[in-house]
């Protein structure tokens, strides 16, 4: 089992603990993902980010490059911005002019993947996924590359690794380049290499719902003949730093089950919703986000171990549920289980009480394929049916795996699946 090394950061992180069952008065609502960021850690990071003459970014850039075995690393404002830059860098490697690149995207996945392709001014082809593994359907990948895609984005879902050797074999036959979008991959590994270290270009995300968090931010790593941009526009000064600080402090205060019902009750926050976002110009990471990353890595590393243990316990509990089909990782994989994906007949409606299941942390997968997004349709080279992706839209649900999940929470989720049978 692979664990990323934890550098000494000058403070001993508290050990996350499994919580016993608790009463459920409002505003109790289980978090979908817990990225450890206590108030003390957040406050110290904010102070460091605003301290005159202090800049953690050079250290964090070196740390990311070492942890993920990159020749070069660039810290940016978000994972989506990093993916946009990765697509542009891939086009440069292939000698393609602006607007001529054809990028293959998974037909099922985070909508921000589509946002990045639009920002990179790329034409789009889609490939299907295998519902049993969440991995790219290799026959569909081959067909997409044969249709002219020179760049393909591989985005392992929920920290479930894919067989990277099989991907490389596919792209090599067509002279294409695979971008590894490891936004959901913290704590996961394939053949003892952490996700984020496998592609010639790899993308990380440090957003609120990721395993290693700074409230926002991302990174682009390059290897071999690929390169990151030399410089980016800066974040908008004190305004940008203040935005990160407010988000981090709010996350530290509200990011626990006893309080999470408060922000979820505010419809304009759109928590728990999958929405398409318009592209943003890539900018460098803020000083505050970098300072937070330094302080949250030890916590995130320990949290990844607890997520894996909770996921395995849940899998053992649901194996007798006839309505549930677990996802099968490939040989050599160490899943990170940002959330536990399951295929359930009727999806979230397959629970005895869907509302109670949502309050306990269960959530449906992405509500549509990427093909249904208007921004994708305008750039789509060829339209067809992606049956695996459509099946995942109907059936995929995910369960929480984080350290704030107690034994009673697990029993509630399993009971809601068993009662319906």
């Amino acid at each position: 089992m692979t664990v990323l090394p934890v550098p000494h950061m000058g403070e001993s992180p508290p050990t996350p603990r499994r919580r016993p069952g608790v009463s459920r008065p409002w505003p109790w609502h289980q978090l979908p993902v817990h990225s450890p960021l206590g108030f003390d850690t957040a406050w110290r990071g904010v102070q460091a980010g605003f301290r005159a003459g202090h800049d953690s970014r050079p250290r964090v850039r070196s740390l990311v490059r070492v942890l993920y075995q990159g020749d070069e690393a660039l810290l940016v404002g978000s994972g989506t911005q990093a993916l946009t830059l990765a697509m542009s860098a891939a086009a440069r490697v292939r000698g393609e002019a602006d607007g001529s690149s054809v990028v293959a995207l998974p037909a099922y996945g985070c909508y921000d993947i589509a946002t990045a392709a639009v920002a990179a001014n790329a034409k789009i082809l889609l490939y299907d996924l295998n519902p049993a593994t969440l991995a790219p359907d290799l026959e569909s990948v081959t067909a997409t590359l044969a249709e002219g895609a020179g760049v393909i984005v591989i985005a392992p879902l929920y920290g479930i690794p894919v067989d990277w050797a099989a991907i490389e074999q596919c792209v090599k036959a067509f002279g294409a380049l695979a971008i590894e979008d490891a936004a959901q991959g913290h704590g996961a590994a394939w053949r003892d290499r952490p996700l984020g270290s496998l592609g010639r270009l790899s993308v990380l995300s440090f957003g609120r719902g990721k395993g290693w968090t700074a409230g926002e931010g991302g990174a682009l790593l390059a290897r071999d003949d690929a390169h990151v941009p030399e410089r980016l526009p800066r974040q908008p000064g004190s305004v940008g730093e203040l935005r990160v600080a407010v988000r981090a402090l709010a996350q530290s205060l509200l990011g626990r089950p006893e309080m999470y019902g408060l922000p979820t009750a505010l419809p304009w926050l759109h928590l728990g919703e999958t929405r398409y976002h318009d592209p943003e110009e890539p900018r460098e990471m803020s000083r505050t986000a970098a300072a937070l990353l330094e302080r949250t890595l030890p916590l995130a590393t320990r949290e990844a171990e607890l997520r894996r243990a909770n996921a395995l316990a849940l899998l053992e509990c649901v194996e007798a549920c006839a309505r549930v089909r677990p996802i099968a990782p490939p040989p050599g994989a160490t899943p990170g289980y940002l959330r536990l994906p399951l295929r359930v007949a009727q999806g979230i409606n397959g629970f005895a009480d869907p509302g109670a299941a949502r309050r306990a942390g269960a959530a449906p997968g992405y509500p549509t394929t990427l093909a249904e997004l208007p921004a994708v349709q305008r750039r789509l080279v060829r339209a067809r049916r992606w049956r695996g992706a459509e099946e995942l839209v109907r059936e995929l649900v995910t369960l929480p795996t984080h350290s704030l999940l107690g034994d009673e929470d697990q029993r509630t989720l399993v009971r809601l699946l068993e009662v319906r049978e």
Side-chain angles (χ1 to χ4, degrees):
M1 181 164 55
T2 298
V3 179
L4 292 177
V6 180
H8 177 67
M9 296 295 173
E11 56 180 322
S12 299
T15 302
R17 297 181 182 276
R18 293 278 301 280
R19 297 163 58 114
V22 294
S23 59
R24 300 293 184 256
W26 192 88
W28 189 93
H29 193 296
Q30 187 57 269
L31 281 71
V33 177
H34 172 57
S35 301
L37 180 60
F39 183 81
D40 182 65
T41 301
W43 181 243
R44 292 184 185 210
V46 168
Q47 287 180 312
F50 279 86
R51 190 180 307 145
H54 181 88
D55 193 343
S56 301
R57 287 174 293 192
R59 292 194 304 274
V60 173
R61 185 184 305 113
S62 297
L63 174 63
V64 167
R65 184 177 57 80
V66 170
L67 289 179
Y68 294 96
Q69 305 166 33
D71 295 335
E72 301 175 13
L74 181 69
L75 303 179
V76 297
S78 71
T80 306
Q81 294 177 19
L83 184 55
T84 298
L85 294 171
M87 293 180 187
S88 299
R92 288 195 299 271
V93 170
R94 292 178 48 78
E96 295 171 332
D98 181 58
S100 66
S101 179
V102 180
V103 176
L105 308 179
Y108 181 88
C110 178
Y111 290 2
D112 290 343
I113 298 174
T115 299
V118 172
N121 195 28
K123 301 173 185 175
I124 297 174
L125 283 167
L126 298 176
Y127 63 84
D128 210 355
L129 299 186
N130 181 343
T133 63
L134 301 185
D137 180 285
L138 295 182
E139 183 177 340
S140 181
V141 167
T142 300
T144 303
L145 295 172
E147 290 174 352
V151 177
I152 183 169
V153 176
I154 306 297
L157 291 167
Y158 311 111
I160 308 296
V162 304
D163 185 338
W164 195 258
I167 298 299
E168 288 186 325
Q169 186 176 358
C170 279
V171 300
K172 183 178 180 180
F174 293 91
L177 190 152
I179 296 172
E180 179 193 15
D181 181 1
Q184 301 181 12
H186 181 75
W190 183 75
R191 293 184 179 176
D192 295 327
R193 293 183 60 182
L195 299 197
S197 70
L198 302 174
R200 288 163 70 184
L201 290 162
S202 298
V203 169
L204 307 175
S205 177
F206 307 118
R208 174 175 53 84
K210 302 303 188 292
W212 180 16
T213 189
E216 66 176 43
L220 171 62
L221 295 111
R223 305 171 185 89
D224 301 330
D225 58 345
H227 299 282
V228 304
E230 292 186 3
R231 62 181 61 185
L232 290 174
R234 295 183 177 181
Q235 291 284 359
S238 298
V239 174
E241 300 294 344
L242 183 61
R243 181 190 66 242
V244 179
V246 170
R247 287 181 177 178
L249 292 172
Q251 179 178 337
S252 69
L253 292 171
L254 300 175
R256 44 200 173 95
E258 293 82 0
M259 300 296 295
Y260 192 62
L262 292 174
T264 58
L266 303 176
W268 58 87
L269 292 179
H270 303 290
L271 294 181
E273 297 181 19
T274 300
R275 308 176 76 224
Y276 175 82
H277 299 98
D278 292 328
E280 298 178 345
E281 180 185 11
R283 292 182 175 272
E284 68 179 4
M285 179 182 286
S286 69
R287 296 191 309 274
T288 302
L292 288 166
L293 280 180
E294 279 194 298
R295 289 158 174 77
T296 56
L297 178 58
L299 306 176
T301 302
R302 296 190 182 189
E303 178 72 16
E305 292 292 333
L306 292 173
R307 284 201 312 269
R308 191 174 299 111
N310 279 340
L312 294 177
L314 279 167
L315 284 170
E316 184 176 351
C317 291
V318 303
E319 64 180 359
C321 298
R323 300 173 58 82
V324 176
R325 286 173 288 178
I327 303 300
T334 303
Y337 291 122
L338 186 65
R339 287 179 61 80
L340 177 65
L342 302 169
R343 294 162 65 201
V344 178
Q346 301 181 47
I348 193 71
N349 293 322
F351 287 83
D353 184 340
R358 288 176 183 267
R359 289 192 297 276
Y366 300 109
T368 70
T369 67
L370 264 60
E372 296 181 52
L373 299 178
V376 171
Q377 293 172 354
R378 289 191 290 268
R379 293 176 175 270
L380 197 58
V381 174
R382 186 185 299 275
R384 58 162 59 95
R385 294 285 302 276
W386 292 273
R387 299 188 184 280
E390 292 168 358
E391 183 174 331
L392 290 172
V393 168
R394 293 191 302 270
E395 294 188 351
L396 194 70
V397 298
T398 60
L399 306 185
T401 56
H402 51 71
S403 60
L404 302 184
L405 184 73
D407 293 335
E408 180 60 31
D409 305 325
Q410 290 191 5
R411 286 193 289 269
T412 296
L413 290 166
V414 174
R415 184 170 62 250
L416 290 170
L417 283 170
E418 291 175 334
V419 169
R420 186 64 185 267
E421 294 185 351

